[in-house]
Amino acid sequence: MKAKRISTLFSAVFLFLILLFCAQSAREGTAAGINTCVQIIIPSLFPFFTAVSLLMRLGLPEALGTLTAPLTARLFGVSGECSAVFLLGLSGGYPLGAAAAADLFQSRKISRDEAERLLAFCDNSGPAFIVGAAGVGIFGSAAIGFLLYLIHSIAAAFTGFLLSFPRRKNTTPAGRKKFHLRAVSLPEALSESVRISVRSMAAVCGFVIFFSAFLAVLDELGLFSAPAGALAVRTGRELSFTRAFLTGFWELGSGMGSMAGLAPSRENLALAAGLLGWGGISVHFQALGILSGTGLSMKRHLFGKVLHAVFSAALAWVFFGLL
């Protein structure tokens, strides 16, 4: 334990020193990260965060649960309320699924086991980013964007189906329950939803800004350019392909941006799908920030995103013939 603490302290000091040594790059990366948050992240996610939190408090999980309980029990081995998390995660984007799962758990509507299994397949990218940024922005085609979103959704569902197998065998679909609207004051629910959303957005933007600065420093030190070049030579891929792969491992937005100019080939489509499924280390830290204080473990989230990335890349390779 002592060795682990010393190692953690050493890593933090080392990080501080390289940020100090590359202060200009860190400053530029921070500015770029702030601009990303102001121009893209906050306008895209904050309304969704608030709306989702409000819907949770007004009874959407219970409403969907009365309709989908038999289906979610058989497919994912979870209660009907969990279907709301899956749908919201696929519509709002990272890290909305994690926030919705944490919200249900803290409201005591689902168990810890259900919440942690939801983290494995419900924290996903949304259609706005996939179609707009990946499809149109990278490949210049909305059709490719919609195909990537379809692949992303199927891979998420398959991940949930696969990981829930042991639980699903012992799950009996609950009988249909009568739904009653929750007696909640709209102003009170909206006020609470905004407060929670502000806290969640602060965590998300903080990690986006930090990783933007971190990646800028790594770039200055040659810790991106050199490995990307070596990987390109070894694999025979374009430098932009290997650079996007390494960048996307850390931060999704920067990784997708690095793919600009690549042709819509089978390999490039598989890379884009894989990066969208993985989400980047930044997304994992965003989810960790949202889950802070809930007591929920991130282990299944990490394993689920690995599976999601693999399934997404494989499906993109197969589905390329549809273009």
Side-chain angles (χ1 to χ4, degrees), residues 76 80-81 94 109 115 126 135 139 142 154 163 165 188 204 219 234 241-242 246 286 288 295:
F76 306 127
E81 286 85 348
Y94 293 118
K109 293 181 176 61
F139 297 114
I154 294 174
L163 293 181
F165 181 71
E188 180 183 342
V204 170
D219 213 13
R234 183 174 294 273
F241 180 97
T242 56
L246 294 176
Q286 290 170 29
L288 183 62

Side-chain angles (χ1 to χ4, degrees), residues 25-38:
S25 293
R27 179 182 179 278
E28 294 172 357
T30 298
I34 293 174
N35 184 65
T36 298
C37 289
V38 173

Side-chain angles (χ1 to χ4, degrees), residues 46-158:
F46 184 75
F48 278 102
F49 267 66
T50 304
V52 166
S53 184
L54 181 61
L55 289 172
M56 291 287 187
R57 276 149 187 77
L58 294 179
L60 177 66
E62 293 92 334
L64 288 177
T66 60
L67 300 174
T68 62
L71 179 63
T72 54
R74 290 189 174 92
L75 287 181
F76 306 127
V78 294
S79 59
E81 286 85 348
C82 297
S83 62
V85 180
F86 183 59
L87 295 175
L88 292 170
L90 283 173
S91 61
Y94 293 118
L96 197 58
D103 198 319
L104 276 184
F105 173 67
Q106 289 184 302
S107 300
R108 299 183 179 180
K109 293 181 176 61
I110 60 175
S111 66
R112 179 186 302 276
D113 180 64
E114 283 182 310
E116 291 181 351
R117 280 188 288 117
L118 287 177
L119 293 174
F121 68 99
C122 291
D123 193 22
N124 302 306
S125 187
F129 181 80
I130 295 179
V131 177
V136 178
I138 303 302
F139 297 114
S141 169
I144 292 179
F146 282 113
L147 178 60
L148 284 171
Y149 180 65
L150 176 64
I151 289 169
H152 191 75
S153 302
I154 294 174
F158 188 65

Side-chain angles (χ1 to χ4, degrees), residues 224-243 246:
F224 257 20
S225 54
L231 188 60
V233 172
R234 183 174 294 273
T235 61
R237 303 296 180 195
E238 297 178 67
L239 179 61
S240 52
F241 180 97
T242 56
R243 184 177 179 82
L246 294 176

Side-chain angles (χ1 to χ4, degrees), residues 255-297:
M256 297 304 295
S258 298
M259 293 189 68
L262 289 177
S265 65
R266 188 184 299 271
E267 294 82 0
N268 293 336
L269 195 69
L271 173 62
L275 292 179
L276 289 167
W278 166 244
I281 294 296
S282 177
V283 161
H284 293 273
F285 273 99
Q286 290 170 29
L288 183 62
I290 287 173
L291 298 179
S292 177
T294 65
L296 295 174
S297 171

